[in-house]
């Protein structure tokens, strides 16, 4: 007997990619359980699926940075307190990425690539450890939201958030809609989506001099001519990140979706001064976001 649950959850996370850098992503999760009926004449109660298995998936990947542990660019070092890690992703041509974060900010994927296949295997292994004995098979299906128009992948961190959004390198795959005088401007949407393709959106107040960061030996010789550094302390600990300048964009405020929508609306107002109204509908992953006007 098989039990299926579609749209069980959405995992919003980022991952390290040799070609693209830090990539924000949002994947929808469906599951199929294969097993015998229990004493309740069920494979597993839907309430338990939606709570327990969703929690397992969210704890494993959601709002984390997925690291391809077996890629040759990846170097992982424990800090002395053993609660934090340095992760150095040594891409060539001054495109290296460096982090110092609490252990819970990472998902270490035993593969040389982070993709749907490797994350699927990671999730199945984590979930199987907590399933009841009558469950004989598990299928995890990951899929992207179908987006026909403009979208972009972004990574950020929200130090003021009291949950996992405070992690400095988590992200989203997000659609974008821009209205000028009430009409969609598809060309302008594509311009912004391209500008923010695989971008780190940093807050100005979190910028830190590289010399002041907890750098590993692999990051010791970096320069502000090629990289930008961020640092903040939140409830979960100290978070630091160094990213290449071409893969970064600064905003003056926090990078909540509300602030992102406002930032875009204000920037587009400057680009289109003759417009009567500018409306931006910015998404944060799947099915949620903010609307701003300028």
């Amino acid at each position: 007997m098989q039990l299926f649950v579609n749209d069980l959850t959405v995992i919003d996370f980022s991952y390290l990619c040799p070609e693209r850098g830090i990539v924000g992503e949002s994947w929808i999760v469906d599951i199929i359980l294969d097993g015998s009926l229990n004493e309740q004449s069920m494979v597993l109660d839907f309430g338990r699926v939606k709570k327990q298995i969703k929690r397992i998936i969210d704890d494993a990947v959601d709002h984390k940075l997925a690291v391809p542990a077996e890629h040759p660019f990846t170097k992982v070092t424990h800090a002395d307190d053993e609660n934090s890690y340095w992760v150095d992703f040594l891409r060539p041509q001054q495109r290296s990425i460096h982090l110092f974060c609490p252990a819970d900010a990472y998902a270490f994927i035993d593969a040389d690539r982070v993709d749907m296949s490797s994350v699927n295997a990671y999730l199945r292994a984590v979930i199987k450890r907590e399933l009841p004995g009558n469950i004989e098979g598990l299928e995890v299906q990951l899929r992207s939201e179908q987006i026909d128009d403009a979208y972009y992948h972004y990574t950020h961190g929200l130090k003021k958030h009291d949950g996992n959004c405070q992690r400095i390198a988590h992200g989203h795959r997000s659609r974008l809609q821009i209205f000028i005088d009430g009409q969609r401007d598809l060309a302008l949407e594509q311009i912004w989506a391209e500008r923010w393709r695989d971008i780190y959106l940093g807050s100005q107040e979190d910028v830190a001099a590289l010399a002041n960061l907890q750098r590993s030996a692999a990051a010791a010789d970096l320069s502000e001519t090629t990289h930008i550094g961020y640092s903040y302390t939140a409830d979960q600990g100290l978070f630091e990140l160094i990213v290449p300048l071409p893969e970064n964009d600064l905003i003056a405020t926090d990078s909540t979706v509300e602030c992102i929508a406002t930032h875009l609306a204000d920037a587009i107002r400057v680009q289109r001064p003759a417009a009567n109204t500018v409306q931006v509908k910015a998404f944060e992953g799947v099915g949620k976001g903010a609307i701003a006007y300028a």
Side-chain angles (χ1 to χ4, degrees):
M1 175 66 69
Q2 290 186 320
L3 186 77
F4 69 90
V5 179
N6 292 335
D7 303 307
L8 175 63
T9 189
V10 176
I11 50 175
D12 291 302
F13 69 106
S14 290
Y15 66 91
L16 294 174
C17 174
E19 295 81 23
R20 298 167 63 185
I22 295 186
V23 182
E25 192 57 271
S26 300
W27 289 343
I28 302 164
V29 184
D30 308 321
I31 65 165
I32 299 175
L33 302 174
D34 196 335
S36 58
L37 300 184
N38 59 20
E39 66 278 1
Q40 298 175 307
S41 298
M42 300 176 179
V43 175
L44 191 63
D45 183 84
F46 279 121
R48 187 173 175 186
V49 174
K50 292 179 179 178
K51 292 180 180 179
Q52 180 184 4
I53 298 182
K54 180 182 183 303
R55 174 189 56 78
I56 295 169
I57 293 171
D58 289 347
D59 288 347
V61 179
D62 192 53
H63 285 77
K64 293 192 176 190
L65 177 68
V67 179
E70 296 181 6
H71 196 282
F73 290 172
T74 302
K75 181 180 179 182
V76 180
T77 308
H78 288 219
D80 291 339
D81 63 6
E82 296 187 355
N83 293 319
S84 298
Y85 291 87
W86 282 282
V87 170
D88 298 291
F89 198 56
L90 303 176
R91 300 159 70 213
Q93 299 175 341
Q94 299 181 327
R95 296 186 301 149
S96 60
I97 297 167
H98 309 268
L99 299 103
F100 180 81
C101 298
D104 286 344
Y106 305 108
F108 293 105
I109 308 298
D110 292 328
D112 63 359
R113 286 270 176 177
V114 175
D115 54 22
M116 286 189 180
S117 177
S118 59
V119 174
N120 192 313
Y122 176 78
L123 287 175
R124 281 190 284 109
V126 171
I127 296 168
K128 282 182 177 179
R129 293 199 294 262
E130 300 194 40
L131 290 177
N134 68 304
I135 304 298
E136 301 166 357
L138 166 69
E139 183 177 348
V140 178
Q141 299 174 341
L142 303 173
R143 56 188 169 90
S144 298
E145 178 189 19
Q146 178 65 41
I147 302 176
D148 296 325
D149 297 320
Y151 65 90
Y152 57 98
H153 300 257
Y154 75 97
T155 300
H156 67 155
L158 303 174
K159 68 174 180 292
K160 299 172 186 175
H161 195 271
D162 57 6
N164 293 335
C165 289
Q166 68 188 257
R167 294 168 180 166
I168 200 167
H170 74 276
H172 314 271
R173 173 181 180 263
S174 301
R175 66 174 69 205
L176 175 64
Q177 296 177 356
I178 299 171
F179 299 83
I180 305 297
D181 295 336
Q183 300 296 316
R184 286 276 301 274
D185 192 322
L186 300 180
L188 195 53
E189 292 172 4
Q190 289 294 343
I191 289 171
W192 277 98
E194 179 61 26
R195 173 174 171 176
W196 278 0
R197 179 171 56 92
D198 302 337
I199 198 73
Y200 187 84
L201 291 180
S203 298
Q204 183 68 55
E205 67 182 18
D206 299 330
V207 175
L210 299 186
N212 295 333
L213 300 183
Q214 302 288 322
R215 288 182 290 174
S216 69
D221 295 330
L222 295 180
S223 165
E224 270 91 359
T225 61
T226 60
H227 287 73
I228 185 170
Y230 296 97
S231 177
Y232 59 73
T233 300
D235 290 343
Q236 295 181 8
L238 174 64
F239 293 88
E240 296 190 340
L241 170 69
I242 302 172
V243 292
L245 286 171
E247 299 169 8
N248 176 85
D249 203 356
L250 270 179
I251 62 176
T253 61
D254 292 329
S255 56
T256 62
V257 69
E258 295 91 340
C259 291
I260 290 172
T262 300
H263 174 84
L264 286 169
D266 290 344
I268 293 166
R269 163 56 66 191
V270 174
Q271 295 174 329
R272 301 293 176 89
N276 292 316
T277 61
V278 172
Q279 176 188 343
V280 172
K281 190 173 185 180
F283 286 72
E284 184 185 74
V286 179
K288 62 187 187 299
I291 300 172
Y293 300 87

